[in-house]
């Protein structure tokens, strides 16, 4: 049924429909509305699930690691400093091959205390072995959360569903909330491949000396390498039931584009409008929306961007001493492609600063008129 | 697409007003998007919320509203320290909660002014207290009148869903404000 729903509640609804069994979370703005609704669902019997209250995000992740190890479907949500505090346990979740799903609301880190939109928190966790999927609107959030459980349980890796603070988490819009029967058809109950059980006693997470550690890491990478294909398979199951599908990367008007703009999150939605304006003025511009960031779809990136003239990446994040993180990854993906295009990096929209259509048009025009990037990242919305 | 900016104070139900309107417009067939300008809110501090409506197309833009078609001002005293007409398109409505026509209405001559005594209406329906009336549902009713949409049935339904406390009185307040709002189109 279509209804007007807040982005945070699009997550909560998906978690309810996924029949998650154990949740644990510590509240932090702007994630709070997600877990408030879920704790109410547990309290009023809407969900047959256990909500474990904890004293920190580190413990929240530890609690779902424990529950997931016992073979139940688990969920948590956090943001910014909460995610940073979880860091150690994020490695545990992926290395123990646990299909945990987490909603991560992109928020800036302090000091310079800031509760607003910024991608640096999730991108700083890129090496933890979590799959990362970025969302651009409320429907995308709901559908991606549902798909995240399917994906996590197929490859036995944890999935982070990433949504913009406020521009998505606190924005109400019309969203199709599927009915339970449809979701049950798409997402069967979890049949765990790893499970602590008194019937079959075993130890999990033991010492892995040099003789085994490399193979252990290699097997995680092998699972990661299956993710893109599995994600595409999931769409074949999802579309007939729900009428929607998603791609690891979405190419909009890219075939004949001279400049392709690249970004993730709600900025990509605004950019769709900008692309259509610029196209109507005869500009040959395209948009590549990044949905899947881990694993990074390198071959797909080369296919879409490899032969265009220029690439302009908009990063709402920053790695001090280098540049925007998406720009780095795009460059790395393209460097072994013959005659690859120059990659122009732009930093915009940090700490909740708005990424307006005007900023995106400025990014396009600067890229179009420059012959080669003079610096690794242009801070395009810096106040003078 | 139409863009509406709400000005209110923390605790006045500004965000709830924008959500109720979004739900009512959705019921009437519109694509909708609404979100608060989220600060570290304190009771009484100026707050803003945005509402986008489109009768035909899915709303793609997700940045803030800078050039609203109309503005809703939930407290006349906000005029002293907030530039409520900033970016407002000429000819757009300013819907103001005030006991009467504000002083110097000529300062709004580029726009259309509508005034409703939402405080009096709210108190009449025992919504909130005399010093802190809950005025947001009256403002919603007045807004529906000046926009000539959404229909009152859609508003009543949205209020019932969104406002658990005194829904009947809130609906009556919206209806009364719909009848009583004064539209002053050429005040210059």
């Amino acid at each position: 049924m279509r209804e007007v729903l807040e982005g945070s509640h699009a997550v909560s609804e998906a978690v309810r429909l996924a029949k998650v069994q154990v949740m644990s979370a510590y509240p932090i703005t702007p994630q709070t509305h997600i877990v408030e609704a879920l704790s109410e669902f547990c309290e009023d019997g809407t969900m047959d699930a256990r909500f474990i209250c904890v004293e920190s995000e580190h413990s929240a992740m530890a609690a779902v690691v424990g529950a997931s190890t016992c073979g139940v479907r688990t969920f948590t949500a956090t943001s910014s400093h909460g995610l940073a505090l979880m860091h150690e346990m994020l490695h545990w979740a992926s290395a123990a091959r646990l299909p945990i799903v987490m909603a991560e609301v992109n928020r800036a880190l302090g000091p310079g205390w800031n509760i607003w939109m910024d991608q640096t928190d999730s991108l700083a966790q890129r090496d933890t072995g979590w799959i990362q999927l970025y969302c651009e609107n409320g429907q995308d959030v709901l559908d991606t959360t549902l798909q995240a459980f399917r994906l996590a349980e197929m490859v036995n890796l944890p999935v982070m569903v990433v949504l913009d603070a406020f521009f998505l988490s606190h924005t109400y819009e019309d969203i199709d909330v599927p009915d339970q029967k449809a979701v049950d058809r798409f997402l069967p109950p979890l049949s765990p491949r790893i499970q602590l059980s008194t019937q079959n006693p075993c130890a999990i997470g033991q010492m892995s000396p040099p003789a085994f550690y490399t193979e252990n890491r290699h097997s995680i990478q092998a699972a990661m390498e299956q993710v893109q294909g599995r994600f595409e398979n999931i769409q074949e199951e999802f579309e007939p039931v729900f009428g929607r599908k998603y791609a690891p990367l979405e190419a909009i008007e890219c075939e004949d584009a001279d400049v392709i703009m690249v970004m993730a999150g709600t900025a990509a939605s605004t950019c769709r409008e900008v692309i259509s304006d610029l196209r109507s003025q005869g500009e040959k511009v395209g948009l590549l929306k990044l949905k899947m960031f881990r694993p990074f779809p390198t071959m797909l990136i080369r296919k879409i961007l490899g032969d265009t003239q220029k690439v302009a990446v908009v990063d709402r994040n920053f790695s001090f001493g280098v540049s925007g993180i998406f720009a780095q990854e795009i460059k790395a993906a393209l460097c072994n492609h013959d005659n690859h295009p120059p990659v122009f990096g732009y930093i915009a929209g940090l700490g909740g600063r708005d990424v307006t259509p005007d900023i995106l048009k400025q990014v396009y025009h600067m890229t179009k008129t420059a012959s080669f990037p003079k610096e690794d990242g242009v801070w395009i919305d810096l106040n003078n | 697409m139409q863009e509406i900016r709400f000005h209110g104070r923390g605790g006045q139900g500004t965000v709830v007003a924008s959500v109720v309107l979004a739900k009512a417009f959705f019921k009437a067939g519109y694509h909708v998007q609404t979100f608060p300008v989220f600060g570290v809110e304190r009771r009484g501090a100026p707050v803003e919320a945005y509402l986008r409506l489109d009768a035909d197309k899915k709303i793609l833009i997700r940045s803030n509203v800078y050039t609203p078609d109309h503005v809703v001002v939930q407290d006349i005293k906000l005029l002293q320290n907030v530039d409520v007409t900033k970016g407002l398109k000429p000819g757009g409505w300013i819907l103001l909660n005030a006991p009467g026509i504000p002083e110097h209405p000529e300062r709004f001559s580029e726009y259309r002014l509508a005034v409703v005594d939402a405080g009096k209406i709210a108190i009449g329906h025992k919504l909130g207290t005399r010093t802190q009336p809950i005025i947001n549902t009256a403002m919603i009713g007045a807004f529906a009148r000046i926009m000539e949409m959404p229909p009152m049935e859609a508003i009543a339904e949205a209020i019932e869903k969104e406002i658990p406390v005194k829904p009947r009185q809130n609906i009556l307040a919206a209806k009364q404000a719909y009848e009583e709002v004064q539209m002053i189109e050429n005040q210059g």
Side-chain angles (χ1 to χ4, degrees), chain B residues 19 28 35 75 87 132 134 148 182:
Chain B
V19 171
F35 57 107
D75 177 359
Q132 275 195 323
I134 309 294
E148 296 173 359
Q182 282 181 273

Side-chain angles (χ1 to χ4, degrees), chain A residues 312-333:
Chain A
V313 184
V314 177
D315 274 297
R316 284 181 116 159
N317 61 74
F318 197 72
S319 175
F320 294 111
V322 194
S323 66
I325 295 166
F326 288 132
Q328 294 169 35
E329 299 261 347
I330 296 283
K331 285 180 203 169

Side-chain angles (χ1 to χ4, degrees), chain A residues 60-76:
Chain A
M61 184 50 69
V64 290
V65 161
S68 186
T69 308
C70 293
V72 295
R73 189 169 280 159
T74 56
F75 174 81
T76 185

Side-chain angles (χ1 to χ4, degrees), chain A residues 261 263 266-272 274-275 278 314 348 355-367 380:
Chain A
M261 298 169 73
M263 65 202 77
T266 56
S269 184
T270 302
C271 200
R272 287 176 193 268
V274 169
I275 295 291
L278 290 171
V314 177
V355 176
T356 61
D358 285 350
I359 291 280
L360 295 173
K361 283 177 189 166
Q362 202 184 330
V363 164
Y364 168 70
H365 287 294
M366 277 180 78
T367 309
I380 195 146

Side-chain angles (χ1 to χ4, degrees), chain A residues 46-69:
Chain A
T46 304
M47 288 182 76
D48 181 16
R50 174 89 187 272
F51 192 103
I52 304 173
C53 291
V54 283
E55 80 295 348
S56 78
E57 288 85 356
H58 188 279
S59 299
M61 184 50 69
V64 290
V65 161
S68 186
T69 308

Side-chain angles (χ1 to χ4, degrees), chain A residues 116 166 172-173 269-270 354, chain B residues 34 38 60 62-64 66:
Chain A
W116 295 276
F166 302 106
Y172 287 75
E173 59 197 299
S269 184
T270 302
D354 203 5
Chain B
T34 183
F38 210 91
L60 293 175
R62 298 192 79 101
S63 62
N64 295 333
Y66 297 95

